[in-house]
């Protein structure tokens, strides 16, 4: 290293320090982004770009070949559109529930209560669990002879086959995802709540302002920037949803909980014919959506600084 | 008494009466503890149940197993039942065999004395018993240790590489002024938002080209350079006093020595945070290993578990035990992290 330093000078040693990390970035991020675009305009079944015939926008045309975009069954690639529809549905419910529950939790954890540190840790705990563990825990509870059905029958109800009913499967996909990740969003909101100046609350107390007014006139407006961050992050994560739902429901029953990422994974790796071109085209579409969401996030982050 | 003093705590310590929202808040928190910890606790309790206890419906809370006794003159251990005899007395008897609705039973203390009992007159005698075989048997039966060691190897090696190359890059970005610094920083930030999801196929191609398919290195290498890590370490290194580095240069220390001997030790707190996160990421990773590892012998725990849950639907006793093992490092990290959580990992935006 010293010889290197003598050779290129102290200042250029920066490149030496950056080199290993950027080799990895280059090989596994920058290069793949380029290849992904190439893949999406080629066809065939070969893995190597040089052996793949150029087909132009054919993959995209195939993906977007739909009678009506609102009806996945009318599309040639109906699984892709089911994935899109399911992911959209999942995002709507999940983001709503996530924001609601993490907001309530953050507000409560911000109160002067005993054991605050403990309670914060309690809500954060599931964030650390692996998606497979999360899904298996809930699968165990929700199975036919599981804990929840035991509770239901004890209360006089009938057993419910949660993963056979499409509505229930989607409900639990959203529920489990919120359960696993709300701790993370709660922390972001909590950080925002603690940044609100205390004298505002003291002034409100002097004026004997009712609590709900304090909430709607001070807390919520000042928390808004953090709320936007939470919403956009939850959107981005929602669009990428795969592991928990995949292990929990396998995308079923039928295709009721099949998400876009599962579609990409299965098209490329686990279907009879590995269709890398189509998978790449779908991931370019997903990437475009994520890019827009990311821009939103940067805009939100900037507004937060102002 | 404790509860009333807990609930009676007033906000701001002033003499305000307890508002209904306070009570609602405590109710919510209590529910939260049950809902957040309950499922995990249920998993752990269930993992110690025998296969037959798992099939019971409705399930019992604790892992019970029927008591079995050795009766002189019987080749096998016999299950013990509490039996209500026709005369109304209750005795504990061992069941020899069951024919239709009648069970043939003996008194363990006096094996000569035989009883014929209607099966609805007997109740199994049960005691808490931990079915540790749920844990020990998978070790022999499904190369469980293999998956465990694969996961440990991936997690440790990947974390070491990540710490090394990320801290080098962070040092380069934090300490030097050089042409292209802006571009390099931008490249790091730019990759922050690219999930493996959308470059799944081409990364697979690169890994194949490098001849790494079905090797653990295929899992380790692609995620080794994390923008989050570079960023975190850079921010921390920026706070170190510049004079320190200048002084070391005066003393003719090489740039590598300055990085390795001076800056790295001072960056330990940030390195520790990154290490914890890297361990979590790697231990829990699912989609990428699922795509790139297709041979059973290179499966990581997460992939093996997922594969098992398809094959072992009826063998929940193994599956639950293996899930609990997968959870152990996470629980350890949690105990270690608890302090950090209260001070707010949220503000760094990491996960």
């Amino acid at each position: 290293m010293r010889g290197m330093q003598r050779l290129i000078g102290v200042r250029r040693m920066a490149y030496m320090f950056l080199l290993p990390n950027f080799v990895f970035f280059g090989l596994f991020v920058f290069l793949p982004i380029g290849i992904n675009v190439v893949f999406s305009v080629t066809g065939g079944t070969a893995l190597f770009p040089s052996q793949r015939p150029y087909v132009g926008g054919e993959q995209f045309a195939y993906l977007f070949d739909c009678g009506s975009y609102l009806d996945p069954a009318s599309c040639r690639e109906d699984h892709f559109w089911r994935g899109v529809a399911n992911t959209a549905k999942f995002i709507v419910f999940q983001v709503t529930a996530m924001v609601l529950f993490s907001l309530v939790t953050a507000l409560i954890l911000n109160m002067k209560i005993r054991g605050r540190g403990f309670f914060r840790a309690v809500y954060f705990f599931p964030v650390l669990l692996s998606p497979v563990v999360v899904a298996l825990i809930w699968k165990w509870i929700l199975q036919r002879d599981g804990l929840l059905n035991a509770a239901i029958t004890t209360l006089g109800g009938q057993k419910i086959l949660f993963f056979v009913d499409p509505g229930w499967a989607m409900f639990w996909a959203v529920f489990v995802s919120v359960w696993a990740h709300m701790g993370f969003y709660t922390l972001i909101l909590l950080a925002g709540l603690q940044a609100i100046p205390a004298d505002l609350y003291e002034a409100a107390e002097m004026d004997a302002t009712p609590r709900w007014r304090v909430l709607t006139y001070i807390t919520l407006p000042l928390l808004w920037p953090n709320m936007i961050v939470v919403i956009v992050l939850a959107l981005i994560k929602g669009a990428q949803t795969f592991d928990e739902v995949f292990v929990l429901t396998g995308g079923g029953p039928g295709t009721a909980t099949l998400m876009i990422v599962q579609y990409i994974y299965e098209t490329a790796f686990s279907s009879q014919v590995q269709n890398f071109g189509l998978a790449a085209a779908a991931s370019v579409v997903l990437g475009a959506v994520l890019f827009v969401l990311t821009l939103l996030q940067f805009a939100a982050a900037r507004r937060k600084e102002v | 008494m404790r509860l009333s003093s807990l609930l009676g705590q007033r906000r701001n310590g002033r003499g305000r009466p307890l508002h209904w929202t306070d009570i609602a808040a405590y109710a919510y928190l209590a529910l939260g503890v049950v809902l957040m910890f309950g499922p995990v606790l249920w998993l752990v309790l269930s993992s110690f149940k025998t296969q037959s206890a798992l099939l019971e419906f409705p399930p019992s809370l604790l892992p019970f197993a029927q008591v079995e006794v050795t009766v002189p003159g019987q080749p096998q251990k016999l299950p013990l039942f509490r039996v209500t005899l026709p005369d109304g007395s209750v005795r504990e008897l061992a069941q020899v065999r069951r024919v239709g609705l009648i069970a043939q039973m003996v008194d363990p203390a006096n094996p000569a004395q035989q009883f014929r009992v209607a099966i609805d007159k007997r109740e199994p005698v049960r005691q808490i018993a931990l079915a540790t075989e749920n844990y020990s048997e998978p070790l022999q039966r499904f190369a469980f240790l293999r998956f465990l060691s694969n996961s440990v190897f991936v997690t440790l090696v990947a974390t070491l590489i990540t710490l090394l190359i990320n801290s080098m890059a962070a040092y380069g970005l934090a300490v030097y002024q050089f042409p292209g610094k802006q571009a390099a920083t931008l490249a790091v930030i730019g990759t922050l938002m690219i999930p493996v999801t959308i470059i799944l196929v081409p990364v697979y191609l690169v890994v194949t080209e490098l001849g790494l398919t079905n090797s653990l290195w295929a899992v380790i290498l692609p995620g080794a350079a994390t923008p989050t890590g570079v960023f975190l370490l850079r921010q921390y290194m920026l706070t170190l006093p510049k004079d320190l580095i200048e002084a070391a240069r005066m003393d003719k220390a090489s740039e590598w020595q300055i990085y390795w001997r001076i800056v790295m030790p001072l960056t330990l707190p940030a390195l520790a945070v990154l290490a914890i996160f890297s361990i979590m990421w790697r231990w829990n990773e699912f989609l990428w290993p699922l795509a790139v590892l297709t041979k059973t012998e290179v499966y990581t725990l997460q992939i093996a578990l997922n594969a098992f849950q398809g094959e072992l639907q009826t063998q929940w006793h193994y599956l639950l035990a293996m899930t609990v093992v997968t959870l152990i490092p996470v629980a350890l990290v949690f105990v270690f992290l608890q302090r950090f959580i209260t001070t707010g990992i949220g503000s760094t935006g990491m996960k």
Side-chain angles (χ1 to χ4, degrees):
Chain A
M1 268 310 216
R2 198 181 274 274
M4 178 73 74
Q5 189 179 325
R6 207 168 294 140
L7 197 70
I8 65 172
V10 167
R11 216 167 60 123
R12 291 206 196 102
M13 278 301 283
Y15 298 118
M16 297 279 75
F17 280 109
L18 288 176
L19 187 68
N21 210 52
F22 274 79
V23 167
F24 279 82
F25 275 149
L27 269 179
F28 299 115
V29 181
F30 301 129
L31 180 66
I33 293 172
I35 299 175
N36 205 33
V37 177
V38 173
F39 263 95
S40 68
V41 293
T42 55
T45 52
L47 181 57
F48 300 101
S50 56
Q51 297 161 19
R52 299 177 60 84
Y54 177 78
V55 297
E58 222 171 78
Q59 305 282 16
F60 292 96
Y62 181 71
L63 278 183
F64 284 88
D65 185 2
C66 265
S68 152
Y69 289 120
L70 294 178
D71 176 19
S74 72
C75 300
R76 268 178 76 187
E77 192 57 6
D78 58 333
H79 276 204
F80 174 71
W81 288 98
R82 290 229 185 269
V84 171
N86 288 339
T87 309
K89 201 200 248 172
F90 179 84
I91 288 175
V92 170
F93 291 126
Q94 196 238 31
V95 173
T96 313
M98 194 76 95
V99 169
L100 212 70
F101 283 109
S102 51
L103 177 64
V104 171
T105 311
L107 285 173
I108 289 176
L109 289 178
N110 197 43
M111 289 166 67
K112 291 194 174 65
I113 35 178
R114 288 200 188 171
R116 204 156 51 158
F118 167 73
F119 286 118
R120 281 181 196 174
V122 164
Y123 284 91
F124 187 77
F125 176 63
V127 175
L128 302 173
L129 298 178
S130 87
V132 181
V133 168
V134 167
L136 286 177
I137 287 176
W138 283 100
K139 216 170 163 160
W140 172 239
I141 290 174
L142 298 172
Q143 50 134 348
R144 195 172 172 279
D145 293 329
L147 188 61
L148 191 64
N149 268 329
I152 290 173
T153 46
T154 315
L155 295 174
Q158 290 282 316
K159 280 186 189 177
I160 302 172
L161 300 176
F162 293 110
F163 298 121
V164 173
D165 180 309
W168 275 116
M170 183 53 101
F171 171 84
W172 287 112
V174 172
F175 178 94
V176 169
S177 166
V178 172
W179 182 84
H181 302 293
M182 70 174 267
F184 175 67
Y185 298 97
T186 302
L187 271 190
I188 299 178
L189 292 180
L190 207 50
L193 284 174
Q194 295 188 337
I196 298 176
D199 40 342
L200 283 177
Y201 289 114
E202 280 160 24
E205 197 169 333
M206 298 272 256
D207 299 343
T209 320
R211 281 189 186 194
W212 64 270
R213 260 175 177 275
V214 176
L215 183 70
T216 50
Y217 281 88
I218 301 176
T219 309
L220 290 184
L222 287 173
L223 193 60
W224 188 235
N226 289 68
M227 292 277 280
I228 294 180
V229 171
V230 165
I231 293 169
V232 178
L233 272 183
L235 279 173
I236 293 175
K237 293 266 173 211
Q240 295 175 28
T241 296
F242 170 71
D243 3 39
E244 279 128 358
V245 180
F246 178 71
V247 180
L248 189 70
T249 68
T255 54
T257 55
L258 178 101
M259 302 287 159
I260 302 176
V261 177
Q262 190 185 339
Y263 168 81
I264 295 172
Y265 163 73
E266 281 177 351
T267 307
F269 297 105
S270 73
S271 59
Q272 290 287 319
V273 184
Q274 302 199 320
N275 199 335
F276 296 116
L278 196 61
S283 75
V284 168
V285 175
L286 177 63
V289 174
L290 289 177
F291 182 69
V292 173
L293 291 176
T294 307
L295 288 185
L296 260 176
Q297 199 212 358
F298 278 121
R302 185 159 307 156
R303 267 187 66 188
K304 196 185 158 193
E305 277 161 26
V306 172
Chain B
M1 195 57 213
R2 282 291 306 267
L3 187 71
S4 65
S5 71
L6 187 78
L7 291 173
Q9 206 214 1
R10 311 256 152 90
R11 295 190 103 208
N12 309 328
R14 303 251 185 92
R16 255 213 219 170
L18 203 65
H19 198 270
W20 68 267
T21 51
D22 294 314
I23 297 164
Y26 280 107
Y28 183 88
L29 290 176
L31 185 72
V33 174
V34 174
L35 210 59
M36 291 291 152
F37 277 153
V40 180
L41 193 67
W42 178 243
L43 169 84
V44 176
L45 285 175
S46 302
S47 77
F48 284 105
K49 289 181 180 173
T50 58
Q51 202 172 358
S52 57
L54 283 175
L55 292 175
E56 249 170 53
F57 187 86
S60 60
L61 190 63
L62 294 171
F64 284 110
Q66 187 164 9
V67 178
E68 294 188 325
V69 287
T70 332
V71 179
Q74 297 291 339
Q76 285 168 329
K77 283 190 157 192
L78 302 178
L80 198 64
F81 287 88
R82 187 171 289 114
V83 179
T84 314
L85 293 174
D87 59 3
S89 66
V90 177
R91 291 177 70 173
E92 283 188 3
L93 299 177
Q95 176 175 297
V96 180
R97 67 177 69 84
R98 190 188 135 184
V99 183
L101 296 174
I102 300 294
Q104 190 186 334
M105 312 192 92
V106 292
D107 185 344
N110 180 12
Q113 198 180 0
Q114 297 226 348
F115 298 87
R116 286 165 58 81
V117 181
I119 57 166
D120 57 342
K121 294 289 183 210
R122 41 165 226 168
E123 185 91 8
V125 174
R126 307 203 305 173
Q127 66 182 22
I128 292 181
L130 300 182
T132 45
E133 64 271 17
N134 293 351
Y135 287 85
S136 54
E137 278 170 17
L139 290 180
Q140 300 138 20
R141 291 185 51 178
F142 335 89
F144 181 57
L145 269 185
R146 186 69 183 259
F147 307 133
L148 189 68
S149 71
N150 283 347
S151 265
V152 170
F153 180 78
V154 166
T155 306
L156 289 185
V157 174
T159 299
L160 285 179
I161 297 179
T162 299
L163 289 180
L164 179 71
I165 66 175
N166 282 5
S167 66
M168 283 173 70
Y171 178 72
L173 289 176
V175 169
Y176 300 94
Q177 290 301 325
F178 59 93
K181 184 175 173 172
Q182 284 248 306
T185 314
L186 245 163
V188 173
I189 302 174
T191 49
L192 254 173
M193 273 299 150
I194 297 161
V196 68
T197 323
I198 54 172
I199 47 173
L200 203 60
V201 178
V203 175
Y204 181 76
L205 167 74
V206 172
V207 163
T208 311
E209 277 282 75
L210 294 173
L212 294 175
T213 29
N214 278 319
S215 133
L216 291 176
W217 293 102
V219 181
I220 292 172
L221 297 179
T226 76
T228 323
V230 176
F231 221 70
L232 179 84
L233 296 177
R234 188 194 83 120
Q235 295 305 99
Y236 195 86
M237 287 177 185
L238 284 175
T239 64
L240 300 177
K242 285 267 183 297
D243 308 351
L244 207 65
I245 293 165
E246 285 308 318
R249 279 189 186 143
M250 293 291 201
D251 290 344
K252 296 252 181 320
S254 76
E255 295 302 300
W256 177 264
Q257 283 171 333
I258 296 172
Y259 155 74
W260 189 249
R261 296 263 180 85
I262 299 172
V263 174
M264 280 291 266
L266 290 174
T267 316
L268 271 182
L271 286 169
V273 172
L274 179 60
I276 290 169
F277 276 99
S278 171
I279 289 170
M280 298 301 310
W281 290 329
R282 291 322 189 106
W283 186 262
N284 292 341
E285 200 174 17
F286 182 66
L287 175 60
W288 175 244
L290 182 69
V292 83
L293 302 176
T294 53
K295 283 205 185 122
T296 321
E297 60 265 31
V298 287
Y299 275 4
T300 58
L301 259 187
Q302 312 287 349
I303 304 303
L305 266 185
N306 180 58
F308 276 144
Q309 65 124 355
E311 289 164 25
L312 302 182
Q313 280 296 13
T314 50
Q315 306 198 38
W316 271 103
H317 57 305
Y318 293 139
L319 193 60
L320 293 173
M322 287 188 280
T323 312
V324 171
V325 174
T326 314
L327 207 134
I328 291 170
V330 175
L332 291 178
V333 169
F334 176 69
V335 171
F336 185 66
L337 256 188
Q338 220 188 329
R339 259 163 225 275
F340 290 99
I341 293 167
T342 47
T343 50
I345 298 158
S347 49
T348 63
M350 290 218 303
K351 191 187 162 185

